[in-house]
Amino acid sequence: MGWNSWDCFGASVTEEEVLANARYMAAHLKAAGYAYVVVDIQWSEPTADSTQYHPFAALTMDDYGRLQPAVNRFPSAANGAGFGPLAREIHALGLRFGLHIMRGIPRQAVAANVPILGTKLHARDVAVNNICPWNADMYGVADTPGGQAYYDSLVRQYAEWGVDFLKVDDICHSTLYGIHAAEIAALRRAIDACGRPIVLSLSPGPASLEHGAFLQAHANMWRLTDDFWDTWPQLAGMFSVAAKWAPLVQPGTWPDLDMLPLGAIRQRAVDAATAQPCSRFTVAEQQTMLTLWGLMRAPLMLGGHLPASEAVVPLVTNRDWLAMRRTITWARQTQATPTSITWQATSANRRYVARFNLTDAAVALTAAASGGWSIWGQAPVASQLVVPAHGVALIRCNSDEGGED
């Protein structure tokens, strides 16, 4: 649970903006369990200014081919300090610090053929030409002792900085190469050897179910889809994905439905969405999204600029919803039609039912699903309950319906 800079600032977040969101989280969300503050892509690029990438931009890099924060955007990184000072400030707030990286070794490290720390090898000895199709910064890393040494050197530096969360991109699924399993395994070994607990998150999706056991063994989170944004067709499409992956949810390894595009997102978009700097989801759709994420026990990474997203705080700190997500041990889709979907979930002493309305008009809840406590309505469920268009009735059942009140 936490915040990630991508949905609101794209590739261009600054230290000041990261700290503003961290301070807001500490004041308003930490008590509910939100803890991770994640700096997303291109933090090493001095010229990053929007959601769009600059192909072959010069990146800030050390003598061993390891990317460093751009000092014009992260002033505390001056004099080789890296992200250490920013991580310490975030830790002082009682929060945890995370980074996004791209799979691989920088192209400019290969061009300069820099040495690999702790070895007699150089960048060209470990680079392979399996590039990312949408970001030009990196080459892949070979499945060799030299490649492992490079990843070891990266993760050791992140551990020294105080990184708690590592989101690795272009690795879970590539449109050109599929899953990069060897590099996932190399990162897993590097994290296990670095001496610091670091959550490993893999992007982008769609992850393949046939790799589920491998992902469970090597990662803590893995993306189930490509980037998720605030449109109803994308949200409606998540139901079939969640139903397929629900059996693989277990403590410590979480299928990831992606960030929550709520509140003040797209703060520096440069496309048509610039005129929509706030989530397009209706309140009902927001509740549907949070219900599905909660039933999946999925990671909750807020995407909006938090100081400008006060309206969503009551929603994402709903105590009954968070208690359901925290305590359930089983959840499955139990019914699906073109107009409605039902999920059921159980914890040690409670049962939950979620009835999703997929239509564009409000519908009355059937009597079979009535009774209990409405988690979003924060009231007892009457014999008739109207579910709005694209909305959900999330019910904590009474004790005579399978759970304690």
Side-chain angles (χ1 to χ4, degrees):
M1 296 170 65
W3 173 83
N4 178 291
S5 62
W6 171 254
D7 279 3
C8 47
F9 298 115
S12 64
V13 71
T14 67
E15 181 170 355
E16 182 181 359
E17 290 162 341
V18 172
L19 287 172
N21 280 275
R23 291 167 183 147
Y24 191 92
M25 182 186 294
H28 302 282
L29 295 162
K30 183 173 72 171
Y34 294 87
Y36 289 91
V37 177
V38 182
V39 177
D40 211 273
I41 197 167
Q42 302 302 117
W43 42 263
S44 64
E45 183 191 334
T47 57
D49 56 4
S50 71
T51 55
Q52 293 188 345
Y53 304 123
H54 300 147
F56 308 107
L59 307 177
T60 308
M61 187 179 75
D62 73 4
D63 293 338
Y64 299 102
R66 301 178 300 181
L67 296 177
Q68 305 294 303
V71 174
N72 65 318
R73 294 168 53 200
F74 299 93
S76 70
N79 302 313
F83 273 122
L86 179 56
R88 286 192 291 275
E89 191 158 358
I90 288 172
H91 290 156
L93 295 170
L95 303 174
R96 297 175 182 177
F97 179 62
L99 280 184
H100 172 291
I101 66 170
M102 292 295 294
R103 170 189 66 86
I105 186 168
R107 284 176 180 262
Q108 68 186 54
V110 178
N113 204 25
V114 300
I116 303 301
L117 183 64
T119 77
K120 296 181 180 181
L121 301 172
H122 291 75
R124 293 177 191 170
D125 298 317
V126 305
V128 292
N129 190 22
N130 54 12
I131 61 173
C132 173
W134 45 267
N135 183 289
D137 292 344
M138 314 294 275
Y139 285 114
V141 169
D143 184 18
T144 63
Q148 185 66 57
Y150 177 71
Y151 273 132
D152 289 347
S153 73
L154 280 187
V155 176
R156 278 198 305 271
Q157 181 168 78
Y158 302 150
E160 291 167 1
W161 286 345
V163 171
D164 305 295
F165 181 103
L166 192 60
K167 174 184 174 182
V168 186
D169 218 335
D170 186 45
I171 197 165
C172 189
H173 173 78
S174 166
T175 55
L176 296 178
Y177 308 103
I179 187 172
H180 289 281
E183 291 188 71
I184 293 171
L187 283 159
R188 177 75 272 158
R189 290 189 291 267
I191 289 172
D192 290 345
C194 79
R196 182 180 182 84
I198 298 177
V199 173
L200 178 57
S201 170
L202 307 177
S203 287
S208 173
L209 194 61
E210 68 180 282
H211 299 129
F214 173 85
L215 294 167
Q216 286 179 315
H218 290 84
N220 303 105
M221 299 164 45
W222 57 91
R223 280 270 297 281
L224 303 187
T225 68
D226 202 347
D227 283 3
F228 172 73
W229 285 99
D230 50 331
T231 71
W232 172 246
Q234 281 192 283
L235 179 52
M238 282 295 193
F239 285 102
S240 60
V241 175
K244 180 174 66 173
W245 281 92
L248 274 75
V249 175
Q250 63 182 27
T253 59
W254 311 108
D256 181 9
L257 294 171
D258 202 7
M259 287 176 281
L260 300 166
L262 296 172
I265 57 177
R266 290 183 295 266
Q267 297 303 287
R268 279 199 281 276
V270 293
D271 54 21
T274 304
Q276 301 167 327
C278 190
S279 180
R280 292 170 289 193
F281 281 142
T282 66
V283 171
E285 290 167 346
Q286 292 174 37
Q287 292 171 351
T288 287
M289 175 177 64
L290 293 175
T291 299
L292 185 60
W293 269 237
L295 289 164
M296 280 289 288
R297 290 156 280 173
L300 303 177
M301 285 290 176
L302 302 171
H305 180 43
L306 297 179
S309 303
E310 293 183 2
V312 306
V313 171
L315 200 63
V316 300
T317 58
N318 181 299
R319 294 178 63 182
D320 293 329
W321 166 67
L322 288 171
M324 178 196 74
R325 176 182 177 272
R326 184 177 63 251
T327 61
I328 58 175
T329 56
W330 177 91
R332 296 289 189 274
Q333 179 177 291
T334 57
Q335 175 267 343
T337 74
T339 60
S340 69
I341 285 175
T342 300
W343 277 64
Q344 298 191 42
T346 56
S347 65
N349 60 358
R350 293 195 187 279
R351 186 168 69 88
Y352 298 87
V353 176
R355 289 286 303 275
F356 297 94
N357 174 15
L358 306 185
T359 73
D360 296 334
V363 299
L365 188 68
T366 61
S370 64
W373 179 258
S374 170
I375 287 180
W376 297 120
Q378 287 293 287
V381 176
S383 58
Q384 288 291 318
L385 181 65
V386 175
V387 184
H390 302 171
V392 62
L394 177 57
I395 300 166
R396 187 183 69 206
C397 298
N398 289 328
S399 56
D400 60 354
E401 296 180 82
E404 294 180 5
D405 190 28

